[in-house]
Amino acid sequence: MAYDLIVSDTVLMQLNIFKDYAALSHNTAEKVVHQVQEKANSVLCLAAGNTPTLTYQYIVEIARQKQVDFSQVQFVGLDEWVHIPPDNPGSCQYFLRHHLFTPLQIAESQIHLFDALAEDLASACEQMNALIRQQGGLDLILVGVGMNGHIGFNEPGVSPDLYAHVVDLDETTQVVGQKYFSQSTPLKKGITLGMRHVLEARSALMIASGAKKAEIMRKVLVEDISVQVPASLLRKHDNGFALLDEEAASLLTLKAKSQY
Ligand code: F6R
């Protein structure tokens, strides 16, 4: 079902709510594949994390079924845990390679990820900013939402004017992030695209699934836009979509718009 999110009679953002995680993931995958069908050399930035795992499985399936050519797509990394090597299964890089790049047979020349082991992380950020500029900006960014409302590693209090930057991770991110690792791992710093990249992307998909995300999604979508809940800044995006399953949307007040 497609909804307008109404707060004080104002429509805030395009919002789609799906029955369950599978439906959310399939629709999100279709949107990403559609972007590539429309523009073969799209520049995509796709998050790691649990939420998009099934989306990536569906992207691989749909791309195979429809024989969609991903050979000209450029993939840009959203974020990475500083000092975590790419062969660590908890790293964002490992996740993206495992779930997406390897099954889609993406060439190394198409993959542009943060080097979280770089001695000069500031220069790694500048290189990423330059690369995105050279590519003409991001066509589509797909983000999940952290339990503290972060996007990428844009943590509460972040400036919306930042491009790529290195950040001291929020306490919540350090604790919640342990779920990606098989043993306790210090997660002090992150390297991330900035909110400015997110807001300048030509389209933005924000996905959330499950009851545990219901309260933060209420804050993201219903409460005042605030840098304390960075994902709420996405409501300023001209072409931004919030895609939620029913559980994640369970605390929103909605007015139905149309059947999807
Ligand atoms: C990961 C990322 C993070 C996650 C967020 C939600 O690349 O950028 O912002 O999207 O922490 O994580 P999950 O999906 O595991 O709940």
Side-chain angles (χ1 to χ4, degrees), residues 47-52 78-79 92 144-146 150-153 179-180 213:
N50 289 344
T51 315
L78 174 60
D79 53 5
C92 299
V145 179
H150 74 197
I151 282 185
F153 288 142
K179 69 181 176 176
Y180 306 119
K213 293 284 171 77

Side-chain angles (χ1 to χ4, degrees), residues 24 33 57 120 130 133 148 197-198 209 212 234-235:
L24 161 71
V33 173
Q57 195 178 311
D120 186 348
R133 272 199 310 275
N148 60 358
H197 283 123
V198 178
S209 165
K212 68 175 186 297
L234 247 189
R235 282 161 39 197

